[in-house]
Amino acid sequence: MATLWGGRFEKNTDEAVFAFNASISFDKRLLRADIGGSKVHAEMLARQGILTEEEEARIQQGLDAILSDVEEGRLEVSETFEDVHSFVESELTDRIGEPGKKLHTGRSRNDQVALDMKLFTRQEAIELDACVKALMQVIQQISEAHIDTIMPGFTHLQKAQPITLAHHLNAYFEMFKRDRTRLRDLLSHMDTSPLGSGALAGTTYPLDREWTAKALGFAAATANSIDGVSDRDYLIELLSALSIIMMHLSRFCEEMILWNTDEYRFIELDDAFSTGSSIMPQKKNPDIAELVRGKTGRVYGALVSMLVTMKGLPLAYNKDMQEDKEPVFDAIDTTKACLTLFAAMLASTKFNTERMRASASGGFTNATDLADYLVGKGVPFRDAHGIVGQVVLSCIERKKSIEELSLSELRAFSEVIDEDVYDAISLETCVNRRETTGAPGKTAMERALEENRRYLEKD
Ligand code: ARG
């Protein structure tokens, strides 16, 4: 074990304590961010005359070499160190000697780790945003092909009114669009650099915090050094945004699982995204969709874990905060994998359009339209609702759909019904007369899909 401290200690750390305290097994993932932050810190120290140019040049070369050696497999991050920060400093000092020991001037691991996590989160949020966008592109593509594919829309999981597949999928497009705004909002909330906050109270060196903030791509330096080292809000915001993305994916998966059943048969999942059973030869199971749904709980777990970790912490840094890393890393990896696999699964799914249409024509999805037809003929809506209720009841008894009743059968319920009723309650009419913004009618959907195309081109 190798530590950055020891001067005031008379005994060595107990081995079990060292292992318990160490974070290197997981925070080595921050290596690139850590080195990136250190390079800017060193450059600023030289600009401020705290390091000589020669010292700075050696630090820069040393840090670059460590990063490339690790990333290209020539150097392993040794787990004999407490954390990634200790590893880099020790490796640097081994390589370049004295200047390596000066790198930590005016800095604490508290502002260092706060910076590393922010740099890491920023990069990951950008990548996650791209994954969400890629999924939206798949949704858009399928929607464009299915603007005329009629299916039942549901409430309470009961057939309600006819819609189109494009309309249904477009609801998910909107959800993922909001997810992207959440990721972007979080990026704007975390746009301040904690570097130079020190342990909690800044430093006595003339650091140029504004310069390092700009050099690291932040809008400004954090305004308060205590907040700088103890803020983990952005991680909670990230986990919250990821939880909502997962919730959306999970609802989508739930529908795909249902739609893939023999009872629905709206879709057929591709063989490549299904698995078989060890005992039942006929089975083709939607495991990927189920796993995405299942992993949603894990991402929620990360959010709750982070909220609980932070809730009782006095200012400023406390070691509890080291517990931020594993849930955040896991939630990011899980969400990325789910987004990517789900998009590929969706892209390869076959939609059984005939079956969807047949399902929409059962279950009286045009009952509202018959009521609207009666209203058009002067019947008050409440009366129309009652009349259609009786029509439906009678259809159930006769095992017929509304449009299968003859004109005289229909007129028995209301004299105002005429031959034009059949056109008025056809599925196409039911869908295409719904032309208000956001509705499934063809013109409204074409407008929505055009809007989506512009959105996807723009960002
Ligand atoms: N491994 C620590 C963490 O992730 C780094 C900060 C350590 N700071 C300290 N004062 N012990 O939080």
Side-chain angles (χ1 to χ4, degrees):
M1 54 184 136
T3 61
L4 290 177
W5 30 270
R8 94 179 281 297
F9 286 78
E10 289 171 1
K11 279 210 273 182
N12 284 335
T13 320
D14 179 271
E15 242 174 81
V17 169
F18 183 82
F20 187 69
N21 190 45
S23 54
I24 193 146
S25 63
F26 46 88
D27 72 14
K28 59 182 171 194
R29 200 165 161 169
L30 297 175
L31 184 85
R32 174 170 273 273
D34 193 73
I35 288 183
S38 288
K39 283 173 62 72
V40 169
H41 180 63
E43 193 177 342
M44 180 275 298
L45 290 178
R47 287 170 62 94
Q48 299 300 100
I50 302 166
L51 289 178
T52 66
E53 276 181 19
E54 158 71 15
E55 287 168 332
E56 194 235 332
R58 289 184 50 205
I59 289 175
Q60 297 294 352
Q61 282 157 9
L63 289 172
D64 287 338
I66 294 171
L67 183 63
S68 57
D69 284 355
V70 172
E71 290 191 340
E72 285 153 32
R74 288 184 295 273
L75 172 68
E76 225 186 295
V77 178
S78 160
E79 296 199 5
T80 55
F81 292 90
E82 180 186 336
D83 52 28
V84 69
H85 326 294
S86 336
F87 165 76
V88 172
E89 187 177 318
S90 159
E91 183 66 28
L92 182 68
T93 306
D94 284 353
R95 291 181 182 217
I96 66 167
E98 284 300 300
K101 295 191 205 159
K102 296 189 178 173
L103 171 62
H104 210 51
T105 312
R107 191 173 67 168
S108 155
R109 274 186 299 165
N110 297 352
D111 59 343
Q112 190 176 357
V113 77
L115 173 66
D116 290 5
M117 279 305 270
K118 272 195 173 175
L119 292 174
F120 177 83
T121 302
R122 188 170 68 188
Q123 179 59 28
E124 292 293 334
I126 292 168
E127 287 174 24
L128 280 154
D129 181 62
C131 294
V132 178
K133 183 175 180 184
L135 170 57
M136 291 171 78
Q137 271 155 337
V138 173
I139 294 173
Q140 174 72 5
Q141 231 165 22
I142 302 173
S143 303
E144 304 246 10
H146 289 284
I147 196 159
D148 291 317
T149 301
I150 291 179
M151 64 174 278
F154 296 85
T155 65
H156 311 269
L157 207 52
Q158 310 268 335
K159 289 179 201 172
Q161 290 171 342
I163 55 168
T164 64
L165 179 56
H167 186 235
H168 192 95
L169 293 179
N170 196 237
Y172 285 106
F173 191 97
E174 288 299 315
M175 296 182 221
F176 292 118
K177 194 163 149 190
R178 287 195 296 276
D179 285 325
R180 295 189 73 201
T181 66
R182 269 182 281 273
L183 289 170
R184 280 146 192 236
D185 284 352
L186 121 86
L187 283 169
S188 74
H189 297 165
M190 57 168 274
D191 203 11
T192 50
S193 165
L195 187 61
S197 297
L200 80 160
T203 75
T204 55
Y205 299 95
L207 305 186
D208 188 345
R209 296 197 57 214
E210 283 64 37
W211 188 87
T212 49
K214 288 272 175 303
L216 289 162
F218 291 102
T222 52
N224 178 289
S225 57
I226 298 175
D227 182 49
V229 291
S230 34
D231 169 31
R232 296 293 183 275
D233 292 1
Y234 59 97
L235 296 179
I236 294 171
E237 285 187 49
L238 174 73
L239 292 172
S240 152
L242 298 190
S243 293
I244 299 174
I245 291 174
M246 290 300 296
M247 180 264 288
H248 292 156
L249 283 177
S250 186
R251 293 182 76 175
F252 210 157
C253 284
E254 171 66 18
E255 296 200 318
M256 305 244 336
I257 293 163
L258 278 174
W259 291 4
N260 191 54
T261 59
D262 196 41
E263 286 70 21
Y264 277 79
R265 281 185 288 118
F266 283 8
I267 60 170
E268 193 183 333
L269 292 175
D270 195 77
D271 281 1
F273 290 89
S274 315
T275 55
S277 154
S278 60
I279 173 167
M280 298 167 281
Q282 83 282 13
K283 293 279 268 184
K284 201 174 123 183
N285 295 327
D287 290 35
I288 300 310
E290 288 172 352
L291 265 177
V292 172
R293 188 178 59 184
K295 284 176 191 289
T296 302
R298 181 164 160 168
V299 175
Y300 291 1
L303 171 63
V304 173
S305 154
M306 193 67 210
L307 283 166
V308 177
T309 298
M310 295 306 292
K311 99 176 248 296
L313 293 191
L315 300 177
Y317 178 84
N318 301 268
K319 193 66 175 236
D320 314 46
M321 284 153 81
Q322 180 167 287
E323 287 295 307
D324 61 358
K325 295 181 188 58
E326 286 165 293
V328 166
F329 295 162
D330 186 67
I332 290 171
D333 293 345
T334 302
T335 309
K336 265 191 189 167
C338 289
L339 281 166
T340 311
L341 270 167
F342 184 85
M345 178 175 80
L346 183 64
S348 68
T349 297
K350 276 212 242 4
F351 291 87
N352 188 351
T353 56
E354 275 166 34
R355 174 72 202 147
M356 284 180 167
R357 198 200 148 83
S359 170
S361 61
F364 309 105
T365 57
N366 51 2
T368 316
D369 294 81
L370 178 57
D372 290 345
Y373 169 85
L374 294 174
V375 170
K377 302 266 177 180
V379 181
F381 182 77
R382 196 43 61 208
D383 294 341
H385 188 284
I387 295 167
V388 178
Q390 287 163 8
V391 174
V392 169
L393 191 62
S394 147
C395 282
I396 293 170
E397 279 160 11
R398 300 183 213 189
K399 295 199 175 19
K400 280 186 171 178
S401 64
I402 302 176
E403 60 278 16
E404 280 166 352
L405 298 182
S406 68
L407 187 56
S408 63
E409 285 171 320
L410 281 167
R411 284 175 70 91
F413 295 94
S414 169
E415 289 281 299
V416 303
I417 298 179
D418 254 318
E419 192 60 45
D420 59 350
V421 71
Y422 295 105
D423 185 48
I425 63 167
S426 80
L427 289 180
E428 277 70 19
T429 310
C430 294
V431 168
N432 289 326
R433 283 192 56 205
R434 291 182 156 75
E435 290 292 13
T436 46
T437 302
K442 193 162 181 166
T443 317
M445 263 324 290
E446 268 164 0
R447 272 201 311 272
L449 292 181
E450 172 58 28
E451 184 96 2
N452 293 355
R453 273 195 295 278
R454 272 204 298 274
Y455 166 88
L456 289 169
E457 270 165 32
K458 176 158 59 68
D459 57 355

